Amino acid sequence: MNVKVAIVDDNSFLISAVKEKLSFFDDISIKHTSLNGSELLTKLEDNHNLDIILMDIEMPVLNGIETTQMVKQKYPHIKIIMLTAFDNDENIFNAIKAGADGYLLKEINPKDLYDGMHETLNGGAAMNPSIALKTLKLLRNPIDINNPRDHEEISLSKREVEVLEQLSKGLSYTVIAKNLILSPSTVRKHIENIYKKLQVHSKIEAVQKAKNHNII
Amino acid sequence: MNVKVAIVDDNSFLISAVKEKLSFFDDISIKHTSLNGSELLTKLEDNHNLDIILMDIEMPVLNGIETTQMVKQKYPHIKIIMLTAFDNDENIFNAIKAGADGYLLKEINPKDLYDGMHETLNGGAAMNPSIALKTLKLLRNPIDINNPRDHEEISLSKREVEVLEQLSKGLSYTVIAKNLILSPSTVRKHIENIYKKLQVHSKIEAVQKAKNHNII
DNA sequence: AAAGATATAAGGCAAATGTCGTATTCTATT
DNA sequence: AATAGAATACGACATTTGCCTTATATCTTT
């Protein structure tokens, strides 16, 4: 079975990189590539005999989200996998809303990309585990996309996120310490650091802010 | 690194099957198995030093969804992967809402199960492509699975709701008192009463419960 | 008018929390 | 090998919180 693919990315080097990755597999044939959405749309008008599109998000003229929406509107049979460097909640959420069939990151290795494409063609969705987790969180805690909240990047350590998670359940210092097999002192120190990073001064505020930023 | 695992399934034959699958990997150690949720809960009370739980959904006494919710409430550090035969939207949606970290089907092969567990431990979510697609659809088209939520009637007074609203912003007793032009004692009494009505014992729990019941 | 719920307020006590400072170990990354 | 960041841990302190009792005033509903 031959899989007809198109690649859309404003960075021609990255297009080459993807082509390279897929060159290992002889059932994949790259039909064409485009540097932005409108270029793709033009090509599709000519010939939309495609199985799957690998789509970047950040592009000039017509970005990946808008393009996905339009392609899905006109050619619903074409699967679209977002292939991008960014995995922030907004992008993921919007891509899914636009109708994307998968969401992968550019650093993906050839086999996973290949597998993901086939999974998508077989009626599944391709996404790596970290993206999957984000979709779960989005389902649990639908963020208000229309609220372009503080885009200040908050970077908590893995351990801090764990502690925050426990905090959000209303557990006390001592219980959290037991759960994570830590000294209560350590838990308190972690929380102290979390407060500083989030610039808050209480459990509730921390949990609230963390939820708003989809950290937990 | 040793991964401490528990398996919960009402079918002891299927427990054996899962054990068999995981026996190939020597960094996995099955700590214990249970035939239903309450059996697991009892064991966890004794020792909750676990990394991951593989949980069936359809079980007598206490099903996988309810169990997941309770385990996550008390021991948020334990990852839970649903391992079930059914993949209908309700189950998936409810499992995610309950806090599941992954959702796999029982016919999974050993390597994928193993990989999924490690992905989950590394901060991702384990799910096979068909489940992933369903979550995407749920995100696109939020089914209002009319939460047959505890219909236990919670009736807070108008004043109590006002106080709760302030509580949810992370304000302290004294600040709330000032905002509502009340004595701090009164605010504390209100909160005491709110706790009794909601059957909780802390600000966070109260806010959480109130949000779940659409009170605030 | 009586009864029952609601709102107001105080005092006290134990436990939990928020904020300091300090210090050791572990682990990536240069 | 050196350094930075993260994780671990303790002690001290003032404040806040959770829980209890008691008490008066107000407002509803029978």
Side-chain angles (χ1 to χ4, degrees):
Chain A
M1 184 231 186
N2 202 359
V3 182
K4 294 174 284 300
V5 182
I7 304 173
V8 192
D9 199 315
D10 61 329
N11 184 331
S12 58
F13 288 101
L14 289 174
I15 290 185
S16 304
V18 175
K19 272 186 172 176
E20 176 70 21
K21 281 181 184 173
L22 292 177
S23 67
F24 294 95
F25 310 99
D26 54 7
D27 60 339
I28 303 281
S29 71
I30 314 285
K31 286 296 170 189
H32 54 80
T33 67
S34 304
L35 292 169
N36 62 64
S38 66
E39 197 184 319
L40 169 75
L41 254 18
T42 307
K43 284 177 180 164
L44 286 183
E45 267 172 42
D46 210 53
N47 174 13
H48 49 265
N49 181 206
L50 265 188
D51 294 307
I52 197 162
I53 298 173
L54 300 177
M55 178 102 64
D56 189 21
I57 290 187
E58 317 261 323
M59 292 183 298
V61 189
L62 199 62
N63 73 40
I65 307 285
E66 299 165 314
T67 311
T68 296
Q69 202 159 26
M70 298 172 82
V71 172
K72 278 287 174 183
Q73 179 66 38
K74 279 196 170 177
Y75 319 102
H77 59 288
I78 303 180
K79 304 286 183 186
I80 300 181
I81 295 179
M82 308 314 288
L83 192 59
T84 172
F86 306 98
D87 63 344
N88 58 309
D89 289 344
E90 261 91 340
N91 275 347
I92 294 175
F93 188 76
N94 287 328
I96 292 171
K97 281 286 185 191
D101 300 285
Y103 199 112
L104 298 173
L105 294 178
K106 280 183 174 167
E107 68 256 34
I108 194 169
N109 64 303
K111 186 183 182 304
D112 284 347
L113 175 57
Y114 177 79
D115 287 348
M117 290 169 68
H118 269 289
E119 280 158 3
T120 302
L121 290 174
N122 288 328
M127 58 176 86
N128 64 329
S130 75
I131 304 286
L133 182 66
K134 281 172 194 266
T135 66
L136 294 197
K137 283 183 179 168
L138 284 171
L139 259 179
R140 266 180 222 131
N141 190 34
I143 58 172
D144 190 352
I145 291 298
N146 295 335
N147 187 358
R149 215 183 293 280
D150 326 38
H151 280 287
E152 28 160 320
E153 199 50 56
I154 294 178
S155 74
L156 297 185
S157 74
K158 198 186 165 197
R159 199 51 152 173
E160 284 165 346
V161 173
E162 282 183 297
V163 171
L164 198 46
E165 215 147 62
Q166 304 246 350
L167 256 197
S168 78
K169 307 296 184 181
L171 304 182
S172 73
Y173 288 171
T174 50
V175 174
I176 295 177
K178 275 175 197 155
N179 280 348
L180 300 181
I181 314 175
L182 280 178
S183 151
S185 315
T186 306
V187 173
R188 301 182 86 200
K189 178 51 83 181
H190 280 309
I191 291 175
E192 206 178 319
N193 294 331
I194 291 170
Y195 286 179
K196 273 179 189 150
K197 285 188 182 176
L198 299 188
Q199 301 182 80
V200 298
H201 306 276
S202 74
K203 287 180 171 185
I204 289 195
E205 288 177 288
V207 170
Q208 219 101 92
K209 192 147 190 175
K211 282 201 170 158
N212 282 340
H213 287 260
N214 249 39
I215 296 172
I216 54 174
Chain B
M1 182 228 190
N2 202 358
V3 182
K4 294 176 282 298
V5 183
I7 305 174
V8 192
D9 199 314
D10 61 329
N11 185 331
S12 58
F13 186 76
L14 288 174
I15 290 186
S16 304
V18 175
K19 272 187 173 176
E20 176 69 21
K21 281 181 186 173
L22 292 177
S23 66
F24 294 96
F25 310 98
D26 54 7
D27 61 338
I28 303 279
S29 72
I30 314 287
K31 286 295 169 188
H32 53 79
T33 66
S34 304
L35 293 169
N36 62 66
S38 64
E39 197 184 317
L40 171 75
L41 253 18
T42 307
K43 283 176 181 164
L44 286 184
E45 268 172 40
D46 208 52
N47 176 13
H48 50 264
N49 182 205
L50 265 189
D51 295 307
I52 197 161
I53 298 172
L54 300 177
M55 179 103 64
D56 189 22
I57 290 187
E58 316 261 323
M59 291 183 297
V61 188
L62 198 63
N63 71 43
I65 306 285
E66 298 166 313
T67 310
T68 296
Q69 198 158 27
M70 298 172 83
V71 172
K72 277 288 173 182
Q73 178 68 38
K74 277 197 171 175
Y75 318 103
H77 57 291
I78 303 179
K79 304 287 184 185
I80 299 180
I81 296 180
M82 310 312 290
L83 192 58
T84 175
F86 307 96
D87 64 342
N88 57 311
D89 286 353
E90 258 91 338
N91 275 348
I92 295 174
F93 186 76
N94 286 329
I96 291 170
K97 280 286 185 191
D101 301 286
Y103 199 114
L104 298 174
L105 295 179
K106 280 185 174 164
E107 68 255 35
I108 195 168
N109 65 301
K111 187 182 180 305
D112 284 347
L113 175 57
Y114 178 79
D115 287 348
M117 290 168 69
H118 270 289
E119 281 158 2
T120 301
L121 289 174
N122 288 326
M127 58 175 85
N128 62 332
S130 75
I131 304 287
L133 183 67
K134 282 174 194 270
T135 68
L136 294 197
K137 285 184 178 165
L138 283 171
L139 259 180
R140 269 183 218 129
N141 191 32
I143 55 173
D144 202 349
I145 294 182
N146 262 349
N147 246 354
R149 216 188 286 280
D150 323 40
H151 277 292
E152 31 163 312
E153 198 52 56
I154 293 180
S155 72
L156 298 185
S157 73
K158 198 186 163 197
R159 200 52 154 171
E160 284 165 346
V161 173
E162 282 183 296
V163 172
L164 199 46
E165 219 144 58
Q166 303 248 346
L167 256 198
S168 77
K169 308 296 184 186
L171 306 182
S172 74
Y173 288 173
T174 50
V175 175
I176 296 177
K178 275 174 197 156
N179 282 348
L180 299 181
I181 314 174
L182 281 178
S183 152
S185 315
T186 306
V187 174
R188 301 182 82 193
K189 178 49 84 182
H190 280 309
I191 291 176
E192 210 178 315
N193 294 331
I194 290 169
Y195 286 179
K196 274 178 188 150
K197 285 188 181 175
L198 299 187
Q199 300 182 81
V200 298
H201 306 276
S202 73
K203 288 181 173 185
I204 289 194
E205 288 177 288
V207 171
Q208 220 104 93
K209 192 148 190 174
K211 283 197 170 163
N212 281 341
H213 287 261
N214 286 323
I215 295 172
I216 53 175

